[in-house]
Amino acid sequence: MAKVLDSKIPAGPVPEKWKEYKAHQRLVNPKNKLKLDVIVVGTGLAGASAAASLGEMGFNVINLCIQDSPRRAHSIAAQGGINAAKCYQNDGDSVYRLFYDTVKGGDYRAREANVYRLAEVSNNIIDQCVAQGVPFAREYGGMLANRSFGGAQVSRTFYAKGQTGQQLLLGAYSSLSCQVNAGKVKLYTRYEMEDVVIVDGRARGIIAKDLCTGKLVRFSANAVVIATGGYGNTYFLSTNAMGCNCTAAVQCYRKGAYFANPSYVQIHPTCIPVHGDKQSKLTLMSESLRNDGRIWVPKKIEDAKALQAGTKQGWEIPEEDRDYYLERRYPAFGNLVPRDVASRAAKERCDKGFGVNNTGLAVFLDFSESINRLGIDVIMQRYGNLFEMYEEITDVFPGDVANEINGVKYYKPMMIYPAIHYTMGGIWVDYELQTSIPGLFAIGECNFSDHGANRLGASALMQGLADGYFVLPYTIQNYLADQAVWPKVSTDLPEFAEAEKAVDAELTRLLNIQGKRSVDSIHKELGHIMWEYVGMGRTAEGLKTGLKKMHELEKEFDTNLFVPGTKEGLNIELDKAIHLRDFFTMGQLVAFDALSRNESCGGHFREEYQTEEGEAKRDDQNYFYVGCWEYKGKGNEPELIKEPLEYEAIKVQTRNYKN
Ligand SMILES: Cc1cc2nc3c(=O)[nH]c(=O)nc-3n(C[C@H](O)[C@H](O)[C@H](O)COP(=O)(O)OP(=O)(O)OC[C@H]3O[C@@H](n4cnc5c(N)ncnc54)[C@H](O)[C@@H]3O)c2cc1C
C-alpha cells in the first residue's frame, strides 16, 4: 500500500546519476542537455489539449495517434455537452455544488481532492474554449446556453448542438496545429504505441508501430504521457468508436503501472437496442434527450406482450396506462437520475417482462409531452440532429405525430436500452497525474482519477480538458524540474532494443498461429462473456464462470487465431489482433476487481449486495478504497493494492435521488 501512496518521486542524488549517465555515454546529444522532450500518446480531447499546452510552454512534444488526423479521435463522438460551474442560470450552482454532485454521482468512490480541483478549473475550460472559437449554443440574448444532465438539479452543461466533442476537439486541434506550425509539436498520425520503455525505473520512451508501413519506431523523451482513452470495447458491443482500444494502457500495466478500479464500467441507459448478431456497434442517444424526453414502459403486462408481439404500438397506449418508472421511483430527479441508476431501473422493468420491443430488451423515450408543451420547432432546435440520427438508424422519426387520444397528440417514441459506454477505471495516477512508474503520466479517460464508481454525464469532456489544459501542464513540471540535468536517453540503449524485439516477437507470434478463427469472431465471443457475466448485474458465481470462460477463449485465441497478411505494410487485422490480446487481459482484470469488491457501488452492481428496493448497497467499512492492481504475468492473478479514500469536505452517505 505504501508503494501507492509514496508515489512522489524522491528527490534523489541527481548529480551522481548524471555522472553515471555521462560515464555510460547514454546521451543523445550532450549539447542539448537542457532540452526537455515529452511524448504525448493520443490526440483526443485530453491528448490534443495537453500536447498543445506543453508545446506552448516550451517543451518539445512528440504527439501520436492511430487515426489519419487528430480530428478523428473518438472524442468527436461526444454529443451532449461539458459541465462547468458558471451558474449562468442563476440556479444556485457553484464550484462546491459541482464537486459535491460529482462525488455523490460517483457513489463516494472518487478521490475527493481530485474532484475539487476538477470543479475549480471547470470554468476556465469554458473560457479557454470560447477564446478558441468553439461555437457553444447561446441564448437569444447572447449568453452561453445550458442544459441539465443526470445527477444534477441545476443547468450547468454547455453544448454545441449534439456535436460538443467534435467542436471542442476542433478548438484543441487549432491550438495543436499552431504548435505544430511553431515547431514545438511533432505530430505522428497513424502511429500506434505498442510498448513503454523503462530505463532505470523511469519511463523514457515508447515503441510505436507505423501503421502504414508496419515498421517499428523508437521514440525517447524525458517523460511519457498516455491519453489513449477507455477500455469499453472489451465488451465488443459498445458506444465507443471501433478504433478504441486499451493496448497502450495495458502495456503500461504489464510494465508495472497499477491499474485502478477496472470494474467501474459505465452502462449508458439511452442507447439504440441491439437488433441482431451481425452488429458491431451500438449507438448512443445523448443523455441530453432526458431533459425533455420521458422514459416509460406499459403498466399492464398484456400491453407489453402486445408490443413484443408487434400487435400494438407505443402511441396506442394512453397516458394512464404508462409507467414513467423513473419519475415514480425517483421523484426528485425523475428522468435525470444518474446513468447507473437509470440503467438498472430499465433492466429491472425488462427483466420483469415489461420490455417494449421484440426482444423484450427496450424501453420508450417519449417526447410527446414536451412537443405538445413547447412545439416541434423548439424540440428540433435542441435535438434535431439526434432525431435525424435516430431516424437514419431505425427509420422512425421521433417528431412524427402517430395518434390522438382524447385530444392529446402522441408522437412516435424512441426505443432505448442500456449499453457499455465509458470506463471510470483506468491507469492509477497520483494527484499529479503520474502513474506508479516515475515519468509516466496518464490523462483523460485512460486514467481512473475523478469519477469514482459512476461518471455523471458531461463530466468526461470536463475531466479530459481539465487534465490536458490545466492540470498536467503544471504538475508534470514537478517531475521535469529535476530532468533538466537528466537528458533524453539514446534510443540505442538495450532497453529500447529489448522492448522493440518483444513487440516484434508478438507480431510474429500472432501471424504464425495460422488457425481458423478471425479476430472479430473471437472478440464477439469475448464480448458475450463480458456482457453476460461481467455486465450490468454481477454475481460471485457468474464472475468465476466468466473468468473461466475468458481463460478458455484466450487459449483459443492463442492457438486458433487466423491473421492474414504480413508484418510489412498496412495490416488492420494484425492491429486488431494486438488489441484483442489486450482486451483479454483487460476483461480478466475487470472480473478480478468485480469479484474482489463484495459490494455494489455505481456502475459495479453485485446482485448479492442490494437493498430490498433493488438499489446498490455499498460497504464503506470494507471497501472504501481505490482498488489498484499490479500485473503478475499472463495467466496469474494480479495483486490487489489498496489506496484508502479520505474525505474531509464531504460526508459520506447513502446516495439518494428520491427526495
Ligand atoms: C457516443 C459517445 C458520446 C459521448 N458524449 C459525451 C458527452 O456529451 N460529454 C462528455 O463529457 N463525455 C461524453 N462521452 C465520453 C467522452 O467522449 C470520452 O470519455 C472522451 O472523449 C475521451 O477522451 P480522451 O482524450 O481521453 O480519449 P479519446 O478521445 O478516446 O482519444 C484517444 C486517443 O488516443 C489515441 N490512441 C489510442 N490508442 C493509441 C495507441 N496505442 N497509440 C497511439 N495512439 C493511440 C487515439 O488515436 C486518440 O487520438 C461520450 C462518449 C461516447 C462514446
Side-chain angles (χ1 to χ4, degrees), residues 10 73 115 176 186 189 212 219 286 330 344 346 371 393 426 429 440 447 464 470 511 559 570 613 627:
V115 184
L176 182 65
K186 193 146 176 29
T189 58
C212 296
F219 292 97
S286 170
Y330 308 100
R344 267 198 296 282
I371 297 175
I393 295 170
V429 286
L440 178 66
N447 76 21
F470 297 108
L511 279 165
T559 54
L570 182 78
E613 292 168 306

Side-chain angles (χ1 to χ4, degrees), residues 42-43 45-46 66-67 74-75 78-81 193 421-422 445 458 460-461:
T43 61
L45 278 171
I66 57 177
Q67 289 85 7
H74 161 65
S75 287
Q79 302 169 348
M193 168 179 157
H421 177 64
Y422 179 88
E445 190 174 340
L461 301 183

Side-chain angles (χ1 to χ4, degrees), residues 111-157:
R111 206 191 265 148
E112 196 191 50
N114 284 52
V115 184
Y116 193 77
R117 177 177 64 188
L118 176 67
E120 268 187 317
V121 302
S122 66
N123 293 339
N124 301 356
I125 298 171
I126 303 301
D127 297 344
Q128 167 94 356
C129 296
V130 168
Q132 286 170 339
V134 172
F136 284 120
R138 287 178 186 267
E139 308 283 4
Y140 183 70
M143 292 282 282
L144 296 188
N146 293 125
R147 53 191 177 201
S148 299
F149 263 56
Q153 287 173 314
V154 293
S155 251
R156 62 161 74 102
T157 304

Side-chain angles (χ1 to χ4, degrees), residues 358-375:
N358 57 350
T359 62
L361 296 176
V363 298
F364 286 128
L365 176 62
D366 199 307
F367 292 84
S368 299
E369 187 273 332
S370 53
I371 297 175
N372 286 334
R373 178 166 44 88
L374 301 167

Side-chain angles (χ1 to χ4, degrees), residues 19-73:
K19 277 182 225 151
E20 190 187 306
Y21 260 64
K22 260 185 124 177
H24 288 89
Q25 299 190 337
R26 298 165 77 131
L27 306 185
V28 177
N29 176 2
K31 282 187 197 142
N32 281 350
K33 64 186 179 197
L34 291 178
K35 206 176 89 173
L36 287 172
D37 293 20
V38 181
I39 295 170
V40 177
V41 187
T43 61
L45 278 171
S49 54
S53 306
L54 291 169
E56 201 160 331
M57 292 169 114
F59 297 106
N60 298 311
V61 182
I62 295 164
N63 190 199
L64 301 90
C65 69
I66 57 177
Q67 289 85 7
D68 55 354
S69 159
R71 286 170 302 158
R72 290 193 214 286

